[in-house]
Amino acid sequence: VNEVFDFRLDDDNYPTDSICDKLNDVSVDGIRFISVSEPKYKPIDIKSASYTVTVPFESENAAEGFRTKIDSAVDSGEIMIEKKTKKGEIKQINVCEHLKSYQCHKEKNSVIIGFHLPAGNELTVNPVPFCNALFSKVGKKDILHRIVRNELFVDGGDVYK
């Protein structure tokens, strides 16, 4: 998983190449720090995020059937989710209107779905309710899947750093 977080060092002269080693020394098992960099953008600059969803199946035929249904559901142009507003109100939004990109393909016995969703201060669409609504639409409400956020992006499509 590629996660971005912001922290400040007490010593501005601390060598950047040592930070990962020090963080990894105190990190819990299973979490590793792979890079550290000076911030180029502020968190408020984040506008979207890319995700990959993997859905495993017992056979290639089952995976292909699911892929076809998923493509049709997205092509329908309407996948509704409930979203809580900052005022605490619940409103319905059509996620298809906010998809910045979408790809879906089969790899052996799995379906791989890639997409970009808004992920900023103005609007954030959580991929979990999107996937739940998408899978419900094709009759697979409780299907096992893994969601990975790949990158965050700023205006213009640059990767958030």
Side-chain angles (χ1 to χ4, degrees):
V1 175
N2 181 8
E3 187 63 48
V4 176
F5 70 97
D6 190 15
F7 63 93
R8 180 173 300 280
L9 298 174
D10 291 336
D11 180 0
D12 289 339
N13 296 318
Y14 195 85
T16 305
D17 55 353
S18 307
I19 296 172
C20 277
D21 292 336
K22 294 293 182 184
L23 288 170
N24 285 326
D25 287 346
V26 297
S27 180
V28 297
D29 287 340
I31 295 181
R32 304 294 303 158
F33 292 85
I34 57 173
S35 68
V36 175
S37 64
E38 292 286 328
K40 183 175 179 182
Y41 302 103
K42 296 177 182 177
I44 196 166
D45 296 328
I46 296 169
K47 299 295 182 203
S48 67
S50 66
Y51 300 91
T52 301
V53 179
T54 304
V55 186
F57 288 89
E58 291 186 18
S59 72
E60 287 192 39
N61 285 341
E64 181 59 29
F66 182 75
R67 185 204 60 76
T68 301
K69 289 178 182 178
I70 290 295
D71 278 344
S72 294
V74 172
D75 287 345
S76 77
E78 186 175 286
I79 300 169
M80 304 300 291
I81 65 168
E82 289 185 347
K83 176 142 177 64
K84 191 182 240 184
T85 67
K86 291 180 181 179
K87 294 179 182 178
E89 301 165 344
I90 302 292
K91 69 177 189 173
Q92 293 277 323
I93 66 164
N94 181 0
V95 179
C96 290
E97 294 174 357
H98 302 285
L99 276 175
K100 304 217 184 284
S101 71
Y102 163 80
Q103 313 85 42
C104 184
H105 66 278
K106 181 181 71 70
E107 281 184 16
K108 297 183 182 175
N109 290 4
S110 294
V111 173
I112 312 297
I113 307 165
F115 51 87
H116 274 77
L117 289 173
N121 281 345
E122 296 166 19
L123 176 65
T124 295
V125 177
N126 185 322
V128 173
F130 168 60
C131 288
N132 291 343
L134 177 61
F135 299 159
S136 288
K137 187 166 185 160
V138 300
K140 298 286 188 181
K141 183 177 181 183
D142 295 320
I143 195 163
L144 176 69
H145 62 284
R146 181 185 70 186
I147 301 172
V148 174
R149 186 182 73 204
N150 303 310
E151 299 280 2
L152 295 169
F153 297 92
V154 298
D155 257 346
D158 290 341
V159 174
Y160 173 78
K161 295 181 181 185

